[in-house]
Amino acid sequence: MSEFAELKINGQSYNLPLVTGTENEVGINIGKLRAETGAITVDPGYKNTGSTSSAITYLDGENGVLRYRGYSIEEVAEKADFLEVTYLLIYGELPTQEQYDNFVADIKKHTLIHEDVRKILEGFPSNAHPMGVLSSLVCSMTAFYPESLDPNRSSDEVDLSIVRILAKLPTMAAWAYKNEQGHPVNYPDNTLSYTENFLKMMFAVPAEDYKVDPVIAKALNKLLILHADHEQNCSASTVRIVGSSHASLYASISAGINALWGPLHGGANQAVIEMLENIRKDGGDVAKYMAKAKDKDDPFRLMGFGHRVYKNFDPRARIIKKAADDVLTALGVNDPVLEIAKGLEQIALEDEYFVARKLYPNVDFYSGIIYRALGIPTEMFTVMFAMGRLPGWIAQWKEMRENHEPIGRPRQIYTGYNERSFVAMGDR
Ligand code: CMC
């Protein structure tokens, strides 16, 4: 294959070098395009723009392939523990038993959060959305660990910042929920696993002996793994671009949480359940909502459907759909919205509009149904996504720093006024 792409502008030819990945995907390096031709490329939404080269996650949207550091999502979701996957994403290899034990022990040392953070939490009104609370508390870590502000520290010091946020995010997430309920917070229980500890902080109430249901802990482990990374999505790109200014890990992750919040990204899991509930309350007429989703004059979209990169199926959605059936059966839950979801999917998979646009259920279509069965309230769904995505954000930030990537700074095509003279106030 040629090593260059040829570009012709106004009759003049330019050679642009090709970049090839380990899975033979091809990119055209346009780094010198403007310097040599005066032109830039334009690609709103970065639909066709590679912002970086990365060795973390491989995704083939046409064939529904997703791999973390070379391991298929199907295999890791079936066989791994979330902290094992966390280690894999951040450090590049599966941990040995000793590395895993040390990693888990380090995380357990840092699960408590400073009591003054509780005061910040208590300053939020109880109706504050937990995603806003979470991103604020994560950003407050910059104040409690000011040394973390310098991202150019030794790798041991960066590792300590990493372990701290991995340890504290579940505590912050559970506390955001308790604050919303107006209930006292629970402190971490380090005799438990990562997921069990989170569930206990979420659901234990004073004077009751809370026992974690192993079915729930196992399902949560799988959900967190399925969300752990997804290469250069909106929130990961946000983390990388914020970090590219040499902002700290905590500032970058806090920005990533805010990017995830929107309903077109991680907020879709909350939006899906709200949509399914609305359809149920409206009599369950699935066909009516399919028609609304196709009507260009109607702002309604089928939430949990479609994906920027998956154009055949989302492998995470397949795993989650099966897990939803298993979890609901194991817990003896009969959720009527599961049937509505399956009905919508069935129609969409055969509908010309959805088939032509390659719109399929994404990871968020069924995840909310499982979260609901696990007892997680709707407004916490995106927080669960954030807990799952944390290792991916950390891995993306760390890779970007270690590769010494330049500051992220896109260009634009200006469409405003040409130069004009200032008009004094009285003459306007
Ligand atoms: N319902 C109805 N029509 C849709 C939908 C949908 N959910 N998604 C896309 N379309 C149509 C869209 O109107 C457009 O049609 P046309 O070509 O006639 O104008 C076409 O499909 C292409 O859509 P697009 O908006 O240009 O595609 P995109 O790549 O910019 O957006 C998306 C991807 C995920 C934002 C979009 O599919 C969407 O809004 N889906 C619903 C929200 C959702 O479930 N988001 C979660 C994504 S997965 C979790 C994550 O990792 O973030």
Side-chain angles (χ1 to χ4, degrees), residues 47 264-265 296 301-302 304-305 308 353 357 362 364:
K47 292 197 174 195
L264 297 191
H265 191 11
K296 291 285 169 208
R301 271 198 168 198
L302 200 53
F305 258 77
R308 173 61 62 77
Y353 173 96
R357 289 168 181 76
N362 59 51
D364 286 328

Side-chain angles (χ1 to χ4, degrees), residues 323-380:
D325 276 329
D326 294 350
V327 169
L328 268 63
T329 307
L331 296 175
V333 174
N334 182 12
D335 190 338
V337 302
L338 179 60
E339 286 318 306
I340 295 178
K342 285 184 177 171
L344 276 172
E345 180 185 359
Q346 195 54 42
I347 302 183
L349 291 181
E350 288 159 15
D351 187 283
E352 161 64 21
Y353 173 96
F354 285 85
V355 173
R357 289 168 181 76
K358 300 184 192 290
L359 301 172
Y360 300 89
N362 59 51
V363 68
D364 286 328
F365 195 60
Y366 287 102
S367 66
I369 293 173
I370 307 189
Y371 286 136
R372 213 151 91 132
L374 304 188
I376 310 265
T378 313
E379 68 284 3
M380 281 293 289

Side-chain angles (χ1 to χ4, degrees), residues 84 134 138 140 155-156 282 286 320 331 336 362 387:
E84 220 178 341
L134 191 68
V138 166
S140 81
S155 65
D156 283 353
D282 193 26
V286 172
I320 287 197
L331 296 175
N362 59 51
M387 266 174 54

